[in-house]
Amino acid sequence: MLIREAAMDDWPAIWPFFRRIVIEGETFTYPLDLGAEQARDWWLLPAPNRTVVALDDAGAVVGTAKMNNNQWGNGSHVASASYMVDPAHAGRGVGRALCAYTLDWARAAGFRAMQFNAVVETNERAVALYRSLGFEVVGTVPEGFRHPTRGYVGLHIMHRAL
C-alpha cells in the first residue's frame, strides 16, 4: 500500500466514502448534512499540517488521514489525526497503515504525543486499533455522542506519548 500526500485532485475519490461515513453518523462528530466543499476544506489541510491518501495496488484511493496539532500555543506540542477508510476496504490494514504513518509523521515533526479528542466508544474496531498501537483512554465524555442506533454513548479521549 502506498501512502502519499493528498492533492485537490484526490477529493473526488475521497468524497464518496467520506460522505457515506459522515451520513451513517456512527463515528464522526461532523454534521450529517456536511457539503462537499466544506468537507474538503475541513479535511484537506494546508501545511504545516498534512493530509494523505492510501492507495491500493491499482492506484485507487482506499483511505485517507489528516494530521495536525491538537491545540495551539502552549498545547501545540501534541499532535492529532483523523482517519477514514473506504468501507469497501475495511479490515485490510488500511487504518493501521494510516495510523502508523501519522505517528511517524508526528515524531518526525517534533510532537511529544498524539491525542484523539473524540473516539466514539462504540467504534470498537478503532478503539482496539488505537490500543494496539499504544494509545490509552485517558477519559470519556459520558453521552458525548448521539449514535443513530445506540443512543447517547461516550466519546473517548485517547492519548499516547511519542
Side-chain angles (χ1 to χ4, degrees), residues 8-82:
M8 284 292 181
D9 291 349
D10 293 314
W11 185 247
I14 296 169
W15 175 240
F17 66 85
F18 184 106
R19 182 172 183 266
R20 176 180 169 189
I21 290 166
V22 170
I23 287 172
E24 287 174 353
E26 296 181 357
T27 56
F28 276 82
T29 59
Y30 292 164
L32 301 182
D33 62 350
L34 184 62
E37 287 182 26
Q38 188 172 27
R40 183 195 64 223
D41 293 345
W42 286 3
W43 197 261
L44 298 179
L45 301 178
N49 300 311
R50 292 187 65 203
T51 303
V52 295
V53 290
L55 307 176
D56 67 10
D57 293 339
V61 174
V62 295
T64 181
K66 67 175 184 159
M67 302 155 270
N68 52 279
N69 50 298
N70 190 49
Q71 303 293 334
W72 297 99
N74 289 345
S76 63
H77 59 283
V78 178
S80 191
S82 297

Side-chain angles (χ1 to χ4, degrees), residues 1-155:
M1 173 178 331
L2 172 69
I3 297 176
R4 65 159 171 78
E5 196 80 26
M8 284 292 181
D9 291 349
D10 293 314
W11 185 247
I14 296 169
W15 175 240
F17 66 85
F18 184 106
R19 182 172 183 266
R20 176 180 169 189
I21 290 166
V22 170
I23 287 172
E24 287 174 353
E26 296 181 357
T27 56
F28 276 82
T29 59
Y30 292 164
L32 301 182
D33 62 350
L34 184 62
E37 287 182 26
Q38 188 172 27
R40 183 195 64 223
D41 293 345
W42 286 3
W43 197 261
L44 298 179
L45 301 178
N49 300 311
R50 292 187 65 203
T51 303
V52 295
V53 290
L55 307 176
D56 67 10
D57 293 339
V61 174
V62 295
T64 181
K66 67 175 184 159
M67 302 155 270
N68 52 279
N69 50 298
N70 190 49
Q71 303 293 334
W72 297 99
N74 289 345
S76 63
H77 59 283
V78 178
S80 191
S82 297
Y83 314 94
M84 287 201 184
V85 174
D86 184 336
H89 298 275
R92 298 181 190 171
V94 178
R96 178 172 295 278
L98 286 167
C99 193
Y101 184 96
T102 63
L103 288 167
D104 290 343
W105 167 82
R107 274 189 215 95
F111 288 98
R112 296 178 49 88
M114 184 171 280
Q115 176 178 312
F116 305 141
N117 298 327
V119 181
V120 179
E121 70 182 353
T122 55
N123 189 353
E124 295 169 0
R125 290 177 80 173
V127 172
L129 170 62
Y130 303 152
R131 285 185 188 277
S132 77
L133 293 169
F135 286 84
E136 296 178 25
V137 175
V138 296
T140 302
V141 178
E143 297 188 350
F145 186 82
R146 190 178 65 242
H147 192 280
T149 60
R150 297 185 184 187
Y152 291 96
V153 300
L155 276 179

